[in-house]
Amino acid sequence: MSLLDTRVPAVLLRIDRNPFHHGTLGAVRSLGRAGVDVHVVAEVTGSPIRKSRFLRRLHPPPPPGASPEEIAALLLGVAARIERPAVLIPMDDAGAVAVSRLREELTPAYLLPQQPGSLPERVADKGELANMCAAADVAHPTTVAPESAEQAASAAWRLGLPVMAKWSRPWLLPSGTGLRSTAVLRSSREARELYLRSEEAGSRLLLQEFLPPGADRDWFFHGYADRSGAVRGGGTGRKLSAWPRGAGLTAVGEWVPNSGVREQSERLAERLGYRGILDLDYRRCGTTGRYHLLDFNPRPGAQFRLFTDSAGLDVVRAQHLDLTHRSLPDGRARPGRTFVVENYAPLPALRPRRGGRELAWHARDDAAPGRAMWALWCAHVTRRVWERVRGVGSGAEAGGADLPRVVCQAAPTASSPSSSSASGGLSGVTGGPDVSGPAGDEKAGSC
């Protein structure tokens, strides 16, 4: 018998249109294997997700730029077709923010964690998160919010080049503009030019102290805060490789106990009164050894299946159990277990791991999505190579020569100004760099 109440279906919501989001497939499989009917509200045309045998039904997503009223109407329409209350799980930041705003309208058609309605939006906002970290004594790289192009240029110099640039609300970035949620800037001129695109981005530009990457420096924490506030169903992990290298989503991650990261994460969740699934990303400072919080994602991280314990519990199953008033099993942690995303790390995907391993796409009991992924990925890579050869890649389409140069993370040069001088006359808060890739939702915590 399943531990989960199979009478209660699950609805997975994803507003961002990314065909390679393996976290959504992981949630479909996790709940479907437990006997739960899984419905997905997302754009998955051509996506490997639609091939999963554990998927009950697909529903069209809200159109780009949909209003909260439109999203509510769509979700209530899905609930009417299901004809039973369902557990609703947003799989991206945009979905989590929308659901938090629509809690009153969506209840009782959906079962949702009970927490302050604005909290998911506040933790997802990079500027708000910096303030929360300061109040909770959680390390966060120095962050400033410039109020003019000249202040942006000055702040970049004072923080010490290179500097991290990120938009406070990355889920508002319009597609097709070439804007990235996170960039590494190497000159004051780049900071000035990027600030001038603030209106286009739809949120504030933040500049943050750069924390160089390195071995054993990138960590993450996944968990589920239940109705009592206890954090269950997750663990601490170390990023072994990323895509893009040094600055992107988790391509290979390992379950490694880290009491410091766990204690800090649970303390912050308790202080905020957070309820539901959370995915936190950290970078350890090579100088001080402190773990700086980079992102607080109010949703499952793409590699959440890494933290599947001996009882089969993960954060998605934990939410379903808790919201249907069922007890969560006490399983044993499985440190040493790894999670590999095959299209980003093909060689590690071929090597077995002593502690156990889970692949993002391939599964013996659900092989079709893995085959579909490789066909889609090969077409994607071929298209990107052809665009570069022709010189009509996304950067050129967006006016590449006029955009700030986006580069991979690298350690500051010896001539870079000291980051200790980052202050002086700029409105800002203390806070850390988002190590995301092309989009804020594509990193570890996210794909």
Side-chain angles (χ1 to χ4, degrees), residues 367-397:
R371 293 193 296 265
M373 181 279 295
W374 282 119
L376 185 64
W377 183 251
C378 289
H380 170 74
V381 171
T382 300
R383 183 173 64 253
R384 293 295 297 271
V385 170
W386 179 243
E387 287 175 347
R388 289 193 178 190
V389 170
R390 295 181 59 198
V392 293
S394 60
E397 293 171 355

Side-chain angles (χ1 to χ4, degrees), residues 1-10 26-38 53-55 305 311-314 316-318 320-321 326 365:
M1 293 180 60
S2 174
L3 291 173
L4 280 65
D5 187 342
T6 57
R7 298 169 300 175
V8 180
V28 169
R29 285 172 169 168
S30 177
L31 295 168
R33 285 169 177 151
V36 173
D37 287 345
V38 184
R53 72 182 186 90
F54 296 109
L55 179 63
R305 285 287 299 168
L313 187 70
D314 58 37
V316 166
R317 290 185 176 184
H320 195 283
L321 286 164
R326 292 208 165 194
D365 62 346

Side-chain angles (χ1 to χ4, degrees), residues 189-201:
R189 176 175 174 270
E190 291 177 348
R192 180 186 299 108
E193 292 177 348
L194 191 58
Y195 179 87
L196 294 175
R197 305 190 70 187
S198 298
E199 184 175 352
E200 184 181 0

Side-chain angles (χ1 to χ4, degrees), residues 74-337:
L74 184 145
L75 289 174
L76 291 174
V78 171
R81 288 191 289 274
I82 295 174
E83 298 182 330
R84 288 174 290 168
V87 173
L88 177 59
I89 305 177
M91 298 302 299
D92 62 357
D93 288 348
V97 170
V99 170
S100 71
R101 291 178 176 179
L102 298 170
R103 176 181 307 280
E104 185 174 342
E105 293 91 328
L106 296 178
T107 305
Y110 291 102
L111 306 181
L112 299 168
Q114 296 300 312
Q115 65 179 348
S118 64
L119 187 54
E121 184 170 359
R122 291 174 58 210
V123 298
D125 185 305
K126 313 305 180 186
E128 288 280 342
L129 179 62
N131 288 326
M132 293 179 182
C133 287
D137 192 28
V138 171
H140 192 281
T142 302
T143 302
V144 296
E147 297 180 350
S148 68
E150 290 308 313
Q151 277 198 3
S154 176
W157 179 258
R158 289 174 180 273
L159 284 168
L161 297 167
V163 67
M164 300 297 299
K166 58 176 31 171
W167 301 103
S168 63
R169 298 188 167 197
W171 64 89
L172 297 179
L173 287 175
S175 60
T177 62
L179 288 170
R180 304 294 192 183
S181 64
T182 302
V184 182
L185 307 181
R186 296 189 179 274
S187 73
S188 296
R189 176 175 174 270
E190 291 177 348
R192 180 186 299 108
E193 292 177 348
L194 191 58
Y195 179 87
L196 294 175
R197 305 190 70 187
S198 298
E199 184 175 352
E200 184 181 0
S203 64
R204 294 184 302 164
L205 177 67
L206 305 176
L207 299 177
Q208 293 185 339
E209 171 191 9
F210 178 85
L211 292 179
D216 197 41
R217 292 192 183 180
D218 288 318
W219 291 75
F220 47 89
F221 175 84
H222 293 192
Y224 173 74
D226 65 18
R227 286 170 291 143
S228 70
V231 178
R232 308 283 301 278
T236 57
R238 179 172 56 195
K239 186 184 295 188
L240 301 181
S241 68
W243 180 269
R245 291 181 60 184
L249 61 85
T250 299
V252 183
E254 181 182 15
W255 189 343
V256 180
N258 187 318
S259 58
V261 169
R262 172 177 282 277
E263 186 278 331
Q264 185 165 279
S265 302
E266 293 180 348
R267 175 163 50 87
L268 180 59
E270 180 181 10
R271 184 182 183 94
L272 297 176
Y274 188 86
R275 299 292 185 271
I277 298 173
L278 61 157
D279 162 30
L280 278 61
D281 296 306
Y282 291 90
R283 175 161 288 180
R284 182 174 59 84
C285 176
T287 302
T288 66
R290 298 188 72 188
Y291 292 93
H292 291 247
L293 181 63
L294 309 180
D295 284 304
F296 189 128
N297 303 301
R299 52 166 174 81
Q303 76 277 22
F304 77 91
R305 285 287 299 168
L306 169 65
F307 302 111
T308 306
D309 66 17
S310 62
L313 187 70
D314 58 37
V315 294
V316 166
R317 290 185 176 184
Q319 176 160 328
H320 195 283
L321 286 164
D322 185 52
L323 296 184
T324 55
H325 296 265
R326 292 208 165 194
S327 299
L328 277 63
D330 292 320
R332 299 187 310 276
R334 301 164 68 187
R337 194 165 187 267

Side-chain angles (χ1 to χ4, degrees), residues 15-28:
I15 294 177
D16 180 71
R17 302 190 172 204
N18 175 11
F20 296 109
H21 189 255
H22 50 275
T24 302
L25 177 61
V28 169

